[in-house]
């Protein structure tokens, strides 16, 4: 069984033309249409926490993983009500040292947008959503000495759990950058899954710490969205 795990970043009105990474901001109307389509096609949108039995091959069903990278406040504002409406769950990967901050790791390249504050994270959790880790500082793991990389992976879990009072079982590699030693560190830190930016649907029984995902961008047309979910469209290997 192939399981699509969707990767979103921001759900908001797109910034003006020419803005770098503009494509990663999906309009709220597009997102709502995509979730509606999943529902109409009989799919259930699930957080990484809820998707685990399907990924392990213990359960079968029409399911799609829903993930949001970075923890933008607009996820709580614009995505959460839609997820709630359809009874879906999702994982949002937060940057533990930047709760209530901005995507300052992109400074000078991309417009800075607010990240979820504590109250937003609590609203997210209270609605049955899942919190994952995206390191302490949105780190480029492959450029760090091993002890620092380990700290980013391990401490972010501890910091998020302490700040939010929840379990943080799922990890996402910033920029999709990792090496085998980082995969091992994620597993040793006690996470249960990790997602990458490598394209493709996840195969049931695949390695839980190098899971492929499907990017949904601003320009993803609803027909293309359906193809990404229903067909081998995304499974072409680079
Ligand atoms: Zn990120």
């Amino acid at each position: 069984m192939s399981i699509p795990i969707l990767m979103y970043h921001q759900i908001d009105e797109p910034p003006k033309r020419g803005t770098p990474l503009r494509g990663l901001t999906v309009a709220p109307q597009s997102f709502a249409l995509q979730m509606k389509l999943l529902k109409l096609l009989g799919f259930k949108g699930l957080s990484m926490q809820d998707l685990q039995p399907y990924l392990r091959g213990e359960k079968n069903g029409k399911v799609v993983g829903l993930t949001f990278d970075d923890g933008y406040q607009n996820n709580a504002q614009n995505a959460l009500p839609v997820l709630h409406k359809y009874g879906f769950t999702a994982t949002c990967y937060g940057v533990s040292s930047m709760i209530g901050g901005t995507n300052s790791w992109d400074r000078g390249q991309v417009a800075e947008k607010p990240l979820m504050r504590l109250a937003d994270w609590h609203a997210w959790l209270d609605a049955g959503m899942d919190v994952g880790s995206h390191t302490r500082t949105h780190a480029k793991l492959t450029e760090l000495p091993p002890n620092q990389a380990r700290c980013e992976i391990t401490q972010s879990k501890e910091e998020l759990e302490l700040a939010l009072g929840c379990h943080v079982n799922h990890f996402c590699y910033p920029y999709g950058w990792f090496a085998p030693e980082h995969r091992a560190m994620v597993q040793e830190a006690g996470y249960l899954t990790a997602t990458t930016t490598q394209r493709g649907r996840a195969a049931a029984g695949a390695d839980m710490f190098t899971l492929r995902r499907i990017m949904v961008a601003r320009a993803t047309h609803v027909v293309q969205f359906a193809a990404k979910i229903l067909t081998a469209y995304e499974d072409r290997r680079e």
Side-chain angles (χ1 to χ4, degrees), residues 9 69-72 93 95 105-106 134 138 172-176 213:
H9 288 79
D69 289 15
D70 304 343
Y72 293 99
Y93 297 110
V95 179
W105 59 88
D106 285 328
H134 203 36
H138 205 274
C172 172
Y173 303 98
Y175 310 96
R213 288 189 296 173

Side-chain angles (χ1 to χ4, degrees), residues 79-224:
L80 185 55
V82 179
L83 297 169
H84 189 68
K85 176 178 174 183
Y86 292 115
F88 293 169
T89 57
T91 295
C92 187
Y93 297 110
V95 179
S96 69
S97 74
M98 298 189 186
I99 292 175
T102 65
N103 50 324
S104 50
W105 59 88
D106 285 328
R107 187 162 289 159
Q109 295 167 44
V110 184
E112 287 183 47
K113 295 285 278 286
L115 299 173
M116 288 203 225
R117 303 157 302 170
L118 271 181
D120 301 309
W121 282 112
H122 282 299
W124 182 260
L125 281 166
D126 289 348
M129 305 296 150
D130 178 45
V131 176
S133 165
H134 203 36
T135 72
R136 290 195 69 246
T137 64
H138 205 274
K140 294 177 171 165
L141 292 173
T142 51
E143 293 187 350
L144 291 180
N147 60 330
Q148 274 184 45
R150 188 182 294 278
C151 163
E152 287 280 347
I153 292 165
T154 305
Q155 285 190 13
S156 58
K157 184 179 197 298
E158 295 165 359
E159 286 175 2
L160 287 168
E161 288 181 340
L162 194 64
L164 303 176
C166 64
H167 289 292
V168 174
N169 293 332
H170 307 282
F171 185 83
C172 172
Y173 303 98
Y175 310 96
W177 293 0
F178 68 99
E181 60 262 35
H182 304 115
R183 185 211 166 281
M185 289 175 193
V186 169
Q187 190 168 16
E188 283 159 21
Y191 293 101
L192 302 175
T193 73
T195 48
T196 69
T197 55
Q198 281 169 327
R199 143 177 208 181
R201 295 182 295 179
D207 176 32
M208 294 288 266
F209 297 95
T210 55
L211 292 165
R212 293 171 177 273
R213 288 189 296 173
I214 293 172
M215 187 168 89
V216 185
R218 187 189 67 81
T220 303
H221 186 271
V222 72
V223 172
Q224 192 187 15

